[in-house]
Amino acid sequence: TAADRVRPPLLRLHRRKRQQLRRCVDRVNDPLSQLSIVLPVGPGDRAWPPLHAMLREQAAAAELWPVFAEGDPQPVPADALRAARGRACQQNAGARAARRKWLWFVHADTRFTPDTLPALRAFLQRDVSALGWFRLRFDDDGPRPLRWAMRANAMGANWRSRRLGLPFGDQGLVLPRLEFDRLDGFDPRLAHGEDHALVWRARRAGLPLREIDAAVITSARKYAERGWLRTTLRHLRLTADQAWRETRQ
């Protein structure tokens, strides 16, 4: 009958509607729905597309703000923001645009392990006001003969974060938006170390630091391009100089 011929398309339509409704409910129930992800992209940086695509797919419940430097000629996605050049300025611009309860600052050359997003969901679900950070691992794009040295650098960064309470920005800092505002965001006057300075202000303000039980992977290409020893010593010097200034405040 005519009714029988109409029924299958209607059933397919209802099935699609149910599936769409289920996806909407899943997104609302996903702890990542509380999260705004800020992704600063430096001028000429081409490392961001895989991360952007992965976040769109695997963290779809979160709000995503890629922030490009003004004047950067590379093509940008439709959801991108523009801000004054500099990671501090770009991250602050993303935080101002954010509408969710939590902020997650993710560098463009970051990659995730299978445990990264599940551990982040668990951290958000606990809803404890704290500055969260991930353990650090380096990608395999560093100096090939010195992979053991890159592993040692990662161990040192994780020891520094855990024992000295000094995680850095490449460890995926995540904190409540209200706390970020209370700390006045990243200092745009700093040419480098804006993440370090934010962590020091968080410590002085009494904001707890919490390790998130997973790792993020960051690129080691600058060690290959500039030399492992030279890059490592430069980071140690800059960290020590900034720590000296911060402890005198």
Side-chain angles (χ1 to χ4, degrees), residues 108-147:
D109 58 0
T110 300
R111 300 293 177 264
F112 301 156
T113 70
D115 296 329
T116 301
L117 291 179
L120 177 60
R121 285 184 170 97
F123 175 78
L124 296 174
Q125 208 158 22
R126 287 193 290 272
D127 198 27
V128 176
S129 185
L131 192 159
W133 54 274
F134 292 85
R135 294 189 297 276
L136 183 69
R137 278 173 45 189
F138 282 104
D139 208 345
D140 291 334
D141 56 353
R144 289 186 178 275
L146 295 174
R147 286 182 177 175

Side-chain angles (χ1 to χ4, degrees), residues 204-225:
R204 286 196 293 268
L207 183 65
L209 273 66
R210 294 287 183 266
E211 178 180 351
I212 300 174
D213 192 19
V216 292
I217 302 169
T218 192
S219 172
R221 66 183 185 276
K222 62 187 175 185
Y223 290 89
E225 294 169 355

Side-chain angles (χ1 to χ4, degrees), residues 14-239:
H14 290 319
R15 191 178 300 116
R16 284 197 296 271
K17 292 292 186 183
R18 288 197 300 271
Q19 290 170 348
Q20 290 171 358
L21 179 60
R22 191 177 299 115
R23 284 195 292 268
C24 289
V25 170
D26 289 343
R27 286 191 181 189
V28 170
N29 292 334
D30 188 341
L32 295 184
S33 64
Q34 307 174 56
L35 184 69
S36 293
I37 304 171
V38 179
L39 173 59
V41 180
D45 191 338
R46 298 294 192 270
W48 63 270
L51 176 61
H52 182 265
M54 191 277 295
L55 289 169
R56 278 281 173 227
E57 179 183 352
Q58 299 183 24
E63 181 181 60
L64 178 59
W65 292 109
V67 189
F68 290 76
E70 292 174 353
D72 187 348
Q74 68 176 306
V76 302
D79 57 358
L81 299 174
R82 292 281 189 179
R85 179 173 178 169
R87 188 172 277 162
C89 292
Q90 290 172 242
Q91 292 182 132
N92 286 341
R96 285 193 298 270
R99 295 166 293 186
R100 306 287 175 84
K101 181 178 179 179
W102 288 82
L103 298 173
W104 188 24
F105 298 96
V106 185
H107 292 182
D109 58 0
T110 300
R111 300 293 177 264
F112 301 156
T113 70
D115 296 329
T116 301
L117 291 179
L120 177 60
R121 285 184 170 97
F123 175 78
L124 296 174
Q125 208 158 22
R126 287 193 290 272
D127 198 27
V128 176
S129 185
L131 192 159
W133 54 274
F134 292 85
R135 294 189 297 276
L136 183 69
R137 278 173 45 189
F138 282 104
D139 208 345
D140 291 334
D141 56 353
R144 289 186 178 275
L146 295 174
R147 286 182 177 175
W148 61 270
M150 296 310 306
R151 288 195 293 271
N153 281 26
M155 290 174 61
N158 295 327
W159 180 88
R160 180 200 67 221
S161 304
R162 194 175 292 122
R163 299 300 181 188
L164 304 182
L166 289 175
F168 285 0
D170 51 10
Q171 293 173 256
L173 303 181
V174 54
L175 73 166
R177 178 181 174 178
L178 289 177
E179 294 293 348
F180 181 80
D181 292 340
R182 185 165 70 97
L183 298 172
D184 294 325
F186 293 101
D187 189 344
R189 299 169 298 178
L190 297 177
H192 51 75
E194 75 290 334
D195 48 353
H196 191 180
L198 180 74
V199 170
W200 276 100
R201 293 202 306 279
R203 286 160 49 111
R204 286 196 293 268
L207 183 65
L209 273 66
R210 294 287 183 266
E211 178 180 351
I212 300 174
D213 192 19
V216 292
I217 302 169
T218 192
S219 172
R221 66 183 185 276
K222 62 187 175 185
Y223 290 89
E225 294 169 355
R226 305 171 191 171
W228 174 82
L229 182 61
R230 178 183 178 187
T231 304
T232 299
L233 291 177
R234 180 175 183 272
H235 285 176
L236 289 172
R237 177 180 60 79
L238 292 174
T239 299

